[in-house]
Amino acid sequence: MTKLDIINVPHPLLKTLSTPVERVDDEVRKLLDDMLETMYAAPGIGLAAIQVAVPKRVIVLDTAPEGEEDRKPLFLVNPEVTWESEDLNVYSEGCLSVPEHYADVERPASVRVKYLDYKGDLREDLMEGLTATCVQHEIDHLDGIVFIDYLSKLKRNMIIKKVQKATKDTVVL
Ligand code: GNR
Ligand code: NI
């Protein structure tokens, strides 16, 4: 497995629409494996392929607490929300492409998601709680949306400036 580099805002790729995968072959599975390693190393609870500069509709999730015994990663190819609850949830979201910034985002509390799994089988699952929040955050990435897009232009621009400054100041030893 290979740990990949994560791109940060305002990278133009983070605004692009990712393309559906035609079939889950070994190349897609290799991408899923590398994304999982990258997500665990970050560490994060979700990752969309576009965050590692690959414009495919592929995401990985694992919302189990870090250090938990048997972690259960979810691999989702071509995910689609088929139902969303009327009740909403507010969660203080973060993003590996917007390091060290957090903001409240309101989303449906539960969603049903249709997707192809690691084997390429079609599945549909009900997701709730943090998993529901996270899967919607990841599907947004596939549509070129980052959580800061839900904030005011002023807040968004301030965060982008801070991320740019922080990454410019990073000295590579
Ligand atoms: O690691 C992550 N944590 C998180 C917390 C609240 C809501 C969404 C997330 S996803 C994020 C990893 C990431 O950037 N995925 O795209
Ligand atoms: Ni993110």
Side-chain angles (χ1 to χ4, degrees), residues 44-48 51 91-96 133-134 137-138 141:
I45 58 172
L47 190 71
Q51 295 180 273
Y91 200 91
S92 177
E93 298 197 12
C95 181
L96 295 171
T133 294
C134 191
H137 172 117
E138 303 313 336
H141 276 302

Side-chain angles (χ1 to χ4, degrees), residues 122-141:
L122 185 63
R123 306 179 58 99
E124 190 164 350
D125 290 341
L126 177 67
M127 300 187 185
E128 296 174 290
L130 181 56
T131 309
T133 294
C134 191
V135 77
Q136 292 173 82
H137 172 117
E138 303 313 336
I139 293 173
D140 270 356
H141 276 302

Side-chain angles (χ1 to χ4, degrees), residues 35-73:
M35 284 172 59
L36 191 70
E37 181 179 347
T38 305
M39 182 190 82
Y40 282 155
I45 58 172
L47 190 71
I50 197 64
Q51 295 180 273
V52 293
V54 178
K56 292 186 175 158
R57 300 188 77 82
V58 167
I59 68 182
V60 295
L61 292 184
D62 191 342
T63 52
E66 224 187 309
E68 190 108 312
E69 274 304 295
D70 59 325
R71 303 204 67 184
K72 280 196 194 64

Side-chain angles (χ1 to χ4, degrees), residues 99-156:
E100 306 192 21
H101 292 273
Y102 302 86
D104 283 356
V105 178
E106 192 176 55
R107 302 183 187 272
S110 327
V111 287
R112 288 192 71 84
V113 180
K114 194 172 86 170
Y115 61 96
L116 300 174
D117 67 10
Y118 194 86
K119 286 163 52 188
D121 291 336
L122 185 63
R123 306 179 58 99
E124 190 164 350
D125 290 341
L126 177 67
M127 300 187 185
E128 296 174 290
L130 181 56
T131 309
T133 294
C134 191
V135 77
Q136 292 173 82
H137 172 117
E138 303 313 336
I139 293 173
D140 270 356
H141 276 302
L142 305 183
D143 294 328
I145 297 163
V146 179
F147 82 96
I148 56 171
D149 294 334
Y150 296 114
L151 310 180
S152 69
K153 199 171 183 175
L154 185 71
K155 277 191 187 166
R156 178 167 60 251

